[in-house]
Amino acid sequence: MWGWKPECQGNDFLQIWGNLAIKRMFGSFDQGWIGALGDDGIVWYYQYGSKERLKLTTGAKDADYCQDRKEILVLTETGYIDCYEQRADDDKLFAIKKRLANLPKVHAMAVSFSHVLFYTEGLNPIYVLGSNRYSQLGFDTTIQSVGDESIIPVEFFSGLMVQQASLACGPFHSAVVVDGELYTFGWKKNGRLGWGNSFTSQTDDHDDVIGLVEFRNEQGELVEDVYVIKVVCGTNHTMALDDEGRVWTCGSNQYKQLGRATQDDIDGSTFDDVFRLCTAYTGFAIDCYAGRWNSFIITQPHQ
């Protein structure tokens, strides 16, 4: 672990985790705690200044923190979503609040600071929760938010017999892969949706909320038959991994997070509103991750 070290972190922070095999870390440095999901399905959290980490729950498939809700959401191995509420006046920082009751069996989830996506079993494969200020839930903004009691599926995806799906949330946009096809929705600024010429990507003056992305080569030609297996979202950019070990990127390149050149040397822009191949790595990409302003790719040599 490296990077910025908050003053409240203390010198024993790394020792707290010991030899724990960590699958995911989450939480808020600003609020004085950090959480971790182990490969064994145990969820832990640690408050800065404490002498030990605390066990939240077991049997977890995934876990993440939603800042607006002030909750840790835990996807159990049996397909339920349990919400653990953050408390300020208790010896334990988090305590079970409730289990979300209006969901089918959940296979996967994606969490941002203000909204959540769920990939579920059945003919309504995508459910959503939280803020819809920028249409990041897949509805027009006449619906401003979706609460626990009114949690609903995204009609756009209803009726699909989904065999494989991938979900991702940025702070202001969302992405869903359905059997190889990549759809995005949310705030269109800086090309983060990757719609290109299909829509006017810098404005919201059209009725389309969810759209298929565009993949183009260096010559600007449309690339067909890209089969996406994973998507991840940063704050202003999006990454897609396909089944041929290629990573495609779109959106803001202000911090070079696209891993390739944009047209900024020509017209001064620092974003690209279509997906093009990332050129910052060699080999066959097997996984990718996005930070808020950066990108990560795991590769292996070509066979």
Side-chain angles (χ1 to χ4, degrees), residues 23-274:
K23 181 178 180 181
R24 178 198 288 277
M25 298 198 78
F26 55 88
S28 172
F29 286 112
D30 295 339
Q31 296 183 33
W33 69 275
I34 197 75
L37 169 64
D39 282 346
D40 55 4
I42 300 177
V43 181
W44 303 87
Y45 67 93
Y46 168 71
Q47 291 179 264
Y48 301 139
S50 301
K51 295 183 178 180
E52 60 182 2
R53 63 179 189 257
L54 296 178
K55 183 187 294 185
L56 183 71
T57 189
T58 61
K61 183 178 180 180
D62 200 1
D64 210 339
Y65 178 69
C66 183
Q67 186 170 327
D68 266 12
R69 294 171 60 86
K70 291 183 171 56
E71 291 176 348
I72 296 175
L73 280 74
V74 175
L75 169 57
T76 71
E77 292 174 347
T78 51
Y80 294 103
I81 299 293
D82 290 335
C83 303
Y84 292 81
E85 183 180 30
Q86 186 173 349
R87 299 180 175 182
D89 55 353
D90 201 313
D91 292 337
K92 292 186 176 181
L93 183 61
F94 289 93
I96 183 69
K97 179 182 178 183
K98 62 180 174 181
R99 172 168 287 180
L100 294 181
N102 300 323
L103 282 171
K105 182 178 180 180
V106 178
H107 297 302
M109 69 176 183
V111 182
S112 82
F113 76 86
S114 64
H115 73 290
V116 188
L117 271 60
F118 304 102
Y119 164 42
T120 67
E121 196 168 86
L123 293 178
N124 293 307
I126 307 298
Y127 278 74
V128 290
L129 179 66
S131 171
N132 191 52
R133 182 178 178 184
Y134 300 98
S135 292
Q136 65 265 49
L137 296 186
F139 309 111
D140 65 57
T141 54
T142 57
I143 299 175
Q144 283 288 294
S145 64
V146 174
D148 294 4
E149 302 306 321
S150 58
I151 187 168
I152 51 177
V154 181
E155 292 184 4
F156 183 92
F157 300 104
S158 294
L160 299 179
M161 298 292 292
V162 179
Q163 301 299 313
Q164 183 182 25
S166 174
L167 310 172
C169 292
F172 312 111
H173 74 299
S174 303
V176 174
V177 178
V178 176
D179 295 331
E181 294 189 323
L182 175 54
Y183 300 86
T184 56
F185 40 102
W187 200 10
K188 303 168 186 65
K189 187 177 181 182
N190 293 328
R192 75 194 81 191
L193 298 189
W195 289 0
N197 294 327
S198 298
F199 307 97
T200 306
S201 60
Q202 294 302 299
T203 64
D204 295 298
D205 57 358
H206 54 75
D207 294 331
D208 299 281
V209 174
I210 301 175
L212 275 171
V213 307
E214 285 188 8
F215 297 94
R216 293 188 176 270
N217 59 24
E218 292 181 355
Q219 291 72 42
E221 301 166 330
L222 195 64
V223 180
E224 304 283 357
D225 301 324
V226 177
Y227 192 95
V228 179
I229 58 176
K230 182 178 181 180
V231 62
V232 292
C233 298
T235 297
N236 288 330
H237 75 294
T238 310
M239 306 171 67
L241 172 66
D242 71 18
D243 63 346
E244 297 182 14
R246 301 175 297 183
V247 175
W248 304 75
T249 58
C250 75
S252 171
N253 202 34
Q254 183 177 359
Y255 302 103
K256 309 303 180 185
Q257 62 264 53
L258 298 188
R260 59 177 174 82
T262 57
Q263 294 296 312
D264 55 314
D265 290 334
I266 299 174
D267 59 15
S269 65
T270 55
F271 68 89
D272 195 344
D273 61 2
V274 297

